Amino acid sequence: MAVLKLKFLHNIENKIYFIPSIYAISATLLSIVVIFIEYKYTNTLINVLPSYFFTSYDLSKTILSTIAGSLFAMITVSFSTIMVVLTMYSSQFSPRTMQDFLKNKVTLKVLGIFIAGFIYSILTLLFIDDSLQGSGESIIFSAMIGVIVAIVCLGYFVYFIHHAANSVQVNLLIESLKEEVIEIVDKIEARNNSNDQIRNEAPDNLKEMLDDREVCEVHPEQSGYIQVIYDIELTKLADEYDIIIRAEKMIGDYVTENTIVFKLWQLNQEQEKFTEEELEEIKTKIRGNLVISNERSKKNDIEFGLLKLTEVALRAISPGINDPNTAIFCINQLGWVLSRIAVANLENTYYYNEKDELCFILEDISFWDLLYKTFYQLSHYGNQDVSVAGSIIDALVIIAEGSPKEIKEQVWKFSHYILGGFDKNVLEQEDKKFLNHKIYRLAKETGNKEEREKYFQVENFKIN
């Protein structure tokens, strides 16, 4: 039941219409409450509220109809602005970054408030007491509420223009993408560190435990990208049935009905093996702890966040845009994100029950693979751009700073791959000096100062 609730909340939160719908429902309820109070307690309100809170029938209809028309125009302008920004995101940055603007809470809140204001105005206008027409009495206060709503909508409209203008600034977008990934890393690390039953160390006899038992494979019921794996619920499930579950795929991986997403082993060999019915029931429950959709989600997918940053950098160094400074800034941010991941130690996670028995295994992508997937396209498409090669080495220096020795060694070896794929025929003497200085900094930071390879021979080149 808890998993169904989590999946429902996850699916709803990912829908664009969720936040606007909440505002629309709230506006409907507000208009019903205001209309009810106006019909039942008008005399009481007149005695309590100042006279300027009340308007006549004709003025109320004029105010509400004007507000409704104005808000409809605001909604139209807002949608047009959104389409312009999405077009720019797709063509200038990356198609994968479009959802960062479209599903941004500010964008959805603004649309929701405009829709809410329009609904309130229309419904209140519909239910105004027609018996007051021509009486000249100022006893309608719903128009004043409409004026307040209109002022709030106007403020949000100004804020939305400011938000849209900031969203198309590439440096702010890159910063936002970086913070998005850092937030995921911080959340996972904080949760793992606060739970003693989640560790990075596997039992010493893990290989023997799994090799001696019969394995059962679990396939998904649909194809798509894995958005969520409910690891805690899977741990409880494994504890309940006395099994070990291992995830064969990670969040962000594309799977089909033929893909093995989980494997399970029955621990207690003295017990009878699961029957076909029991095994199918376990498989169904395991599948229930997996969310698969037709697109990747930015909520828990670290690799997807890095992919978006990489694509922005690739688009910047493409011949059509040719903006190397943006690419350099983006690569530096990639270095900072990877340096945070390096010290978070997220590679392999093992979940234990209260008896300190292993229940669930989640073997995430290795740091080396993450390095490769982040930089290999940049290395290929920027193999003749000295600034790109230099910025990648700078990013590797950022990663090495403060990282464990094992990570430093991986970073040093990876620099061989980056510089080995660079087209050395395009380098002049000054270019070689420029890169040699950066290689020396990396060698010094990784503890390979004496062993560094001289990639580029330069006459009269010295480093102090």
Side-chain angles (χ1 to χ4, degrees):
M1 199 67 184
V3 175
L4 291 175
K5 182 180 178 182
L6 289 171
K7 292 179 77 171
F8 174 76
L9 291 174
H10 173 79
N11 291 330
I12 285 294
E13 287 173 357
N14 277 339
K15 304 300 182 184
I16 295 173
Y17 58 74
F18 176 60
I19 293 179
S21 296
I22 291 177
Y23 279 92
I25 294 169
S26 301
T28 304
L29 295 175
L30 175 63
S31 62
I32 292 171
V33 170
V34 170
I35 291 164
F36 175 78
I37 293 174
E38 197 168 66
Y39 270 88
K40 294 292 184 180
Y41 303 103
T42 299
N43 293 330
T44 305
L45 290 172
I46 290 174
N47 294 329
V48 173
L49 298 175
S51 58
Y52 54 76
F53 270 83
F54 302 91
T55 57
S56 64
Y57 173 87
D58 294 332
L59 181 58
S60 296
K61 290 203 73 169
T62 302
I63 290 173
L64 291 170
S65 58
T66 302
I67 290 172
S70 301
L71 289 176
F72 191 79
M74 279 187 181
I75 293 171
T76 305
V77 172
S78 299
F79 271 108
S80 300
T81 304
I82 289 171
M83 295 309 298
V84 170
V85 173
L86 291 180
T87 302
M88 186 172 182
Y89 267 54
S90 179
S91 60
Q92 297 292 320
F93 307 140
S94 163
R96 255 65 58 186
T97 61
M98 289 169 61
Q99 61 175 280
D100 286 84
F101 180 79
L102 192 58
K103 295 183 179 180
N104 186 280
K105 286 187 177 179
V106 174
T107 305
L108 299 178
K109 281 181 180 178
V110 169
L111 288 178
I113 286 173
F114 290 169
I115 293 170
F118 179 76
I119 289 174
Y120 172 82
S121 302
I122 287 295
L123 288 180
T124 309
L125 190 62
L126 181 63
F127 291 103
I128 283 183
D129 189 358
D130 289 333
S131 64
L132 297 173
Q133 185 174 7
S135 65
E137 293 180 278
S138 298
I139 59 173
I140 299 176
F141 86 102
S142 56
M144 176 55 73
I145 303 296
V147 170
I148 295 171
V149 170
I151 292 171
V152 172
C153 289
L154 186 61
Y156 267 90
F157 182 71
V158 174
Y159 180 54
F160 175 70
I161 297 300
H162 169 76
H163 169 67
N166 282 340
S167 297
V168 296
Q169 296 181 43
V170 65
N171 283 3
L172 295 179
L173 171 64
I174 294 170
E175 189 71 24
S176 173
L177 294 174
K178 181 199 78 173
E179 292 300 327
E180 187 180 287
V181 183
I182 294 293
E183 184 180 344
I184 298 172
V185 175
D186 289 344
K187 181 179 70 175
I188 296 173
E189 185 184 34
R191 192 201 62 170
N192 291 355
N193 291 341
S194 63
N195 192 335
D196 293 335
Q197 294 173 327
I198 302 176
R199 305 168 197 166
N200 295 113
E201 299 83 23
D204 295 333
N205 62 338
L206 177 61
K207 183 174 176 56
E208 292 78 10
M209 288 172 59
L210 302 184
D211 287 346
D212 296 339
R213 289 170 171 81
E214 185 178 346
V215 63
C216 181
E217 299 172 348
V218 180
H219 301 265
E221 294 180 336
Q222 66 181 92
S223 61
Y225 292 98
I226 298 176
Q227 289 192 342
V228 183
I229 297 174
Y230 293 110
D231 45 8
I232 301 298
E233 298 300 324
L234 283 167
T235 304
K236 294 177 182 177
L237 183 66
D239 186 30
E240 178 186 347
Y241 287 97
D242 198 21
I243 58 176
I244 290 179
I245 303 173
R246 185 175 72 191
E248 299 296 311
K249 295 294 179 179
M250 300 174 296
I251 291 175
D253 285 345
Y254 186 82
V255 296
T256 67
E257 290 86 348
N258 299 319
T259 305
I260 302 171
V261 287
F262 294 105
K263 288 183 179 179
L264 65 93
W265 293 262
Q266 186 174 358
L267 285 179
N268 194 340
Q269 292 182 322
E270 296 178 0
Q271 290 182 347
E272 293 185 10
K273 290 185 178 180
F274 294 124
T275 64
E276 289 295 326
E277 292 77 13
E278 289 174 330
L279 201 55
E280 194 57 41
E281 180 185 354
I282 294 172
K283 287 183 178 181
T284 302
K285 289 183 177 181
I286 291 175
R287 291 189 196 101
N289 289 281
L290 190 68
V291 176
I292 297 176
S293 182
N294 57 0
E295 64 177 358
R296 297 180 76 167
S297 172
K298 65 176 186 176
K299 194 171 182 181
N300 301 298
D301 195 342
I302 294 174
E303 191 179 332
F304 186 45
L306 291 171
L307 172 64
K308 287 189 284 187
L309 280 167
T310 302
E311 286 193 347
V312 173
L314 286 170
R315 195 64 65 95
I317 62 174
S318 65
I321 296 177
N322 195 22
D323 184 10
N325 289 327
T326 294
I328 291 169
F329 179 71
C330 202
I331 292 169
N332 288 336
Q333 299 306 309
L334 282 168
W336 165 238
V337 172
L338 287 168
S339 71
R340 180 68 188 86
I341 295 172
V343 297
N345 194 18
L346 307 177
E347 282 191 19
N348 299 314
T349 314
Y350 302 90
Y351 299 75
Y352 294 79
N353 60 14
E354 294 179 353
K355 301 174 186 176
D356 207 35
E357 297 170 338
L358 180 64
C359 292
F360 179 59
I361 304 170
L362 183 64
E363 296 182 342
D364 213 336
I365 187 171
S366 68
F367 187 75
W368 176 269
D369 290 337
L370 211 55
L371 265 179
Y372 177 76
K373 286 188 175 183
T374 301
F375 290 117
Y376 79 100
Q377 289 178 316
L378 287 166
S379 174
H380 175 74
Y381 291 104
N383 68 342
Q384 292 187 336
D385 193 325
V386 177
S387 62
V388 172
S391 61
I392 293 177
I393 299 299
D394 285 337
L396 295 179
V397 172
I398 293 171
I399 296 168
E401 292 172 345
S403 295
K405 185 178 179 181
E406 179 187 352
I407 298 296
K408 290 179 184 288
E409 286 301 315
Q410 290 184 38
V411 168
W412 176 244
K413 289 178 182 178
F414 189 73
S415 69
H416 294 34
Y417 162 75
I418 294 296
L419 292 167
F422 193 80
D423 186 356
K424 301 175 180 61
N425 296 323
V426 302
L427 295 177
E428 300 295 338
Q429 291 296 307
E430 292 303 317
D431 296 330
K432 294 178 181 178
K433 289 180 183 179
F434 173 76
L435 290 176
N436 277 344
H437 277 288
K438 293 184 180 296
I439 296 167
Y440 178 79
R441 281 184 58 212
L442 181 62
K444 186 177 179 182
E445 190 61 47
T446 56
N448 293 281
K449 182 178 177 181
E450 303 301 326
E451 302 175 16
R452 76 181 193 279
E453 297 180 20
K454 294 182 179 179
Y455 285 99
F456 310 111
Q457 298 295 329
V458 184
E459 293 180 7
N460 302 322
F461 177 72
K462 293 182 180 180
I463 299 179
N464 297 323

